[in-house]
Amino acid sequence: MKKVKSFLKSWEFFLICLMVLVCIAFNLKDSANLAAGLAKKDVFNFANIIKSLRPYMLYSFMTLGMMLILALGDMDISVGAIATLSVVVLAVLYRALTVGGMISGLAFALSIAACLLVGVLCGAINGILVTRFKELFPMIITLATQLFFRGFSYLLIGGETITFKDDTFGLLKNLNSLIDCGSFKLPVMIPIFLICALVFFIVLHLMPTGRRIFAIGTNATAARFSGIRVDRIKVGCYIVAGLMSAVTGLFFVGATSSSVKADIMDGYHMYAIAAAVLGGFSTDGGKGSVIGAVISLFIFGIVKIGLGTLFGFADSSVNLSVGVILILSVLLPNILEDVRNAQRVRRQRAETAAH
């Protein structure tokens, strides 16, 4: 019974209720459009929602890495640039190897490995700089590395768009394909993402490593004196964030007809931060929920699908609505906390007056 009451008071339950309310509102709008003759068939149904989630799940893997950084109490705004640089290296290396006569399959494997390695190296650079220069805010450091990574991408290909038409490189398109599940089609990236999210859930919430990460986010100095290797864990988290950014880049290339430019995925870090924060991860560190972050990603996708298909809103307007949801979700816990504090003070005063 206590576990049920605890769940009903949890942030995850609030997010589930929010997602249900959003779905009900959009479903009512869909029914109204059908009744008014504005639509020939319903467009906001389970099958269409699941199928349409593909473009809105591209930054989901990046969000997993961002969760670790926020749990530490840090901020990494270079993840979008890391994803871009990773796929730029992928494209440049693949083109160089195939032009040089290497078998396309081997060239593709080496290019994928190089892409992931670039993500790891960029994350390691961020982690080393953050732990070496503790007097600087991580956001300032990652702002500098963001500009560096983005600039290096332009240095490699400039304003060129690299597009590959061969079947081997086209294998990346399979990452954006659909699985036939009978009455609906499931995007491949969703089960892959959920498996990755499960791994992050186990690490963050069920293993000592997760407890150490949250302890660092709560009080890094106390964690260091308690024997936790703070710097090593921080570098590791930044490396994982860089790796997940590179994975995001692979899915992005698969969704864009195997085309690579130096300005892709600009602003993706903001979506990743927004999803993690809405999921319960605080910018102050020390708290957060993987389940909440997963739910928030689906909320963002459902909101964008509903506003785009039912109301015909432009993408900029959709982003505005997501921003409003994020602001309200951040304000609501603070308002509730203020209300609880006020009630506690009144209760204490009443007890004092009674004595």
Side-chain angles (χ1 to χ4, degrees), residues 6-20 201 205 278-281 287-296 299:
S6 177
F7 174 72
L8 294 178
K9 294 179 181 179
S10 67
W11 185 250
E12 292 87 346
F13 180 71
F14 167 77
L15 291 176
I16 292 173
C17 292
L18 177 61
M19 183 168 62
V20 171
F201 175 84
H205 298 300
L278 179 59
F281 284 85
K287 64 180 181 179
S289 167
V290 175
I291 295 176
V294 172
I295 297 172
S296 68
I299 290 175

Side-chain angles (χ1 to χ4, degrees), residues 133-301:
F133 300 99
K134 295 182 176 62
E135 66 276 10
L136 296 177
F137 289 113
M139 187 174 68
I140 301 300
I141 293 175
T142 55
L143 172 62
T145 55
Q146 177 195 45
L147 297 174
F148 175 78
F149 297 148
R150 187 73 66 177
F152 197 66
S153 299
Y154 277 101
L155 183 64
L156 288 175
I157 62 174
E160 180 185 3
T161 299
I162 302 179
T163 302
F164 297 96
K165 298 298 184 181
D166 62 273
D167 294 336
T168 303
F169 198 89
L171 291 173
L172 288 176
K173 294 181 181 180
N174 293 332
L175 297 175
N176 198 48
S177 61
L178 297 168
I179 303 173
D180 193 353
C181 296
S183 60
F184 66 95
K185 294 184 181 297
L186 178 69
V188 169
M189 69 175 68
I190 290 182
I192 297 176
F193 164 70
L194 291 178
I195 292 172
C196 292
L198 177 61
V199 173
F200 275 78
F201 175 84
I202 293 172
V203 172
L204 273 177
H205 298 300
L206 302 179
M207 294 180 64
T209 300
R211 291 193 290 272
R212 295 188 184 106
I213 291 173
F214 284 121
I216 294 171
T218 302
N219 191 322
T221 302
R224 184 174 284 107
F225 280 114
S226 66
I228 296 176
R229 296 179 177 180
V230 174
D231 290 350
R232 179 178 294 185
I233 290 176
K234 278 196 172 188
V235 172
C237 288
Y238 277 95
I239 288 175
V240 173
L243 176 62
M244 299 312 295
S245 297
V247 173
T248 297
L250 292 177
F251 278 89
F252 183 89
V253 174
T256 55
S257 301
S258 302
S259 297
V260 177
K261 297 190 296 183
D263 60 351
I264 57 176
M265 289 177 281
D266 187 21
Y268 264 44
H269 63 283
M270 298 306 298
Y271 291 113
I273 294 171
V277 170
L278 179 59
F281 284 85
S282 171
T283 53
D284 292 330
K287 64 180 181 179
S289 167
V290 175
I291 295 176
V294 172
I295 297 172
S296 68
L297 283 165
F298 285 105
I299 290 175
F300 281 175

Side-chain angles (χ1 to χ4, degrees), residues 29 72 76 117 126 141-142 187 234 272 303 309 313 327 337 342:
K29 173 61 178 176
L72 290 170
D76 186 354
L117 180 60
N126 282 337
I141 293 175
T142 55
K234 278 196 172 188
V303 168
T309 58
F313 285 1
I327 291 172
E337 183 66 24

